[in-house]
Amino acid sequence: MSALLEIRRVARQFGGVAALADVSFRVSAGSVVGVIGPNGSGKTTLMNIVSGVDAPSAGVVLFDEDPVQGRAAHALTRLGIARTFQHIRLVPHLTAAQNVALALHDPEAGLADILLRLPRLRRIERQRHERAVALLDRVCIGARAASPAGDLSYGDRRRVEIARALASGPRLLLLDEPAAGMNHTEKRALRGLIAGLRRDGITVVLVEHDMDLVMGVCDEIQVLNQGRLIASGAPRAVRNDPRVIEAYLGAEDA
């Protein structure tokens, strides 16, 4: 398969500290690729660079063969890159549906529609609400569409964030620790959701500490340690790699 995303020798320096150093890998279109490693290994820094939150100190990021490093996050969203964040960014007093609707940019209401409350505005609001609820249904939380985000469980708020990321219609979805705070049942549903996104043609890059989820849903895994890529390959090969066992999996089991 062709590469939808390609990281070429990406580095990121913060002062004299190298958060990433010479990281290179490809993400095939329609695949699910996991990025794992100990805390502080550079996973979120890499996600920030790919999503436009940060720029690399060196290297190239290609999206559909187009260099995109250093472009603003909103520009990358328009190109088809969306992400969730490690820390939840919902508006607690708004409902789940309203939080998702905030990410829906079209159709837009005009000033006259808003000031005069014209029928077109009510139609747009209804359509946005229906689309938001449909996205919540897709992540198996449609029944809580009218609930304030602040009243939802941690796992359910994670799913609302995924629905909101899907609102832009991405080709590439970056998930930063989506299973955090989820129970076993919710994680099983998340695994099914990610598999469904792949069937729908959405490419997924998954940063996650839950190894059962990573090993069960990913086609390929990239392993970072101290800002460097130390292993890359199929889940079984990565699980048995001595460098990975020493740097991450073994430390977790110890």
Side-chain angles (χ1 to χ4, degrees), residues 7-233:
I7 312 294
R8 290 184 183 173
R9 308 199 70 175
V10 164
R12 183 65 175 100
Q13 296 274 343
F14 293 100
V17 178
L20 291 172
D22 200 27
V23 174
S24 299
F25 64 88
R26 302 167 77 250
V27 176
S28 297
S31 67
V32 178
V33 172
V35 178
I36 67 171
N39 289 331
S41 60
K43 303 184 300 296
T44 295
T45 299
L46 180 62
M47 296 283 270
N48 287 344
I49 288 172
V50 174
S51 62
V53 175
D54 198 4
S57 304
V60 176
V61 177
L62 298 174
F63 180 66
D64 202 13
E65 301 184 348
D66 183 22
V68 297
Q69 70 279 359
R71 295 193 192 182
H74 63 85
L76 296 185
T77 299
R78 287 197 298 269
L79 286 178
I81 300 176
R83 74 169 289 185
T84 64
F85 289 85
Q86 186 175 358
H87 301 291
I88 293 174
R89 300 187 176 189
L90 300 178
V91 183
H93 67 273
L94 296 182
T95 68
Q98 288 170 333
N99 270 279
V100 175
L102 290 174
L104 296 169
H105 300 296
D106 58 308
E108 294 287 351
L111 181 61
D113 298 314
I114 296 171
L115 294 178
L116 301 177
R117 298 293 298 178
L118 296 178
R120 181 174 181 271
L121 175 63
R122 293 192 293 273
R123 184 174 66 253
I124 289 172
E125 290 176 340
R126 184 178 65 253
Q127 291 171 346
R128 288 168 68 89
H129 178 76
E130 290 171 352
R131 290 174 63 196
V133 172
L135 288 166
L136 290 169
D137 280 333
R138 191 176 187 186
V139 299
C140 306
I141 196 178
R144 304 299 304 275
S147 299
D151 293 346
L152 299 175
S153 69
Y154 194 81
D156 283 349
R157 279 181 279 159
R158 285 283 182 190
R159 288 194 278 185
V160 175
E161 282 218 312
I162 295 173
R164 188 170 63 177
L166 293 173
S168 62
R171 298 165 60 199
L172 173 65
L173 179 61
L174 311 173
L175 299 177
D176 197 348
E177 299 191 23
M182 289 187 175
N183 59 37
H184 179 72
T185 300
E186 291 171 328
K187 289 177 182 178
R188 186 168 62 247
L190 176 62
R191 177 174 171 173
L193 169 62
I194 294 173
L197 294 174
R198 175 173 50 193
R199 288 193 297 271
D200 292 342
I202 298 176
T203 305
V204 177
V205 174
L206 172 67
V207 169
E208 185 54 64
H209 284 292
D210 188 297
M211 296 311 300
D212 287 338
L213 175 63
V214 172
M215 295 294 171
V217 78
C218 292
D219 302 298
E220 188 171 315
I221 298 174
Q222 310 294 332
V223 187
L224 292 172
N225 188 35
Q226 298 181 348
R228 294 186 177 274
L229 191 68
I230 62 168
S232 177

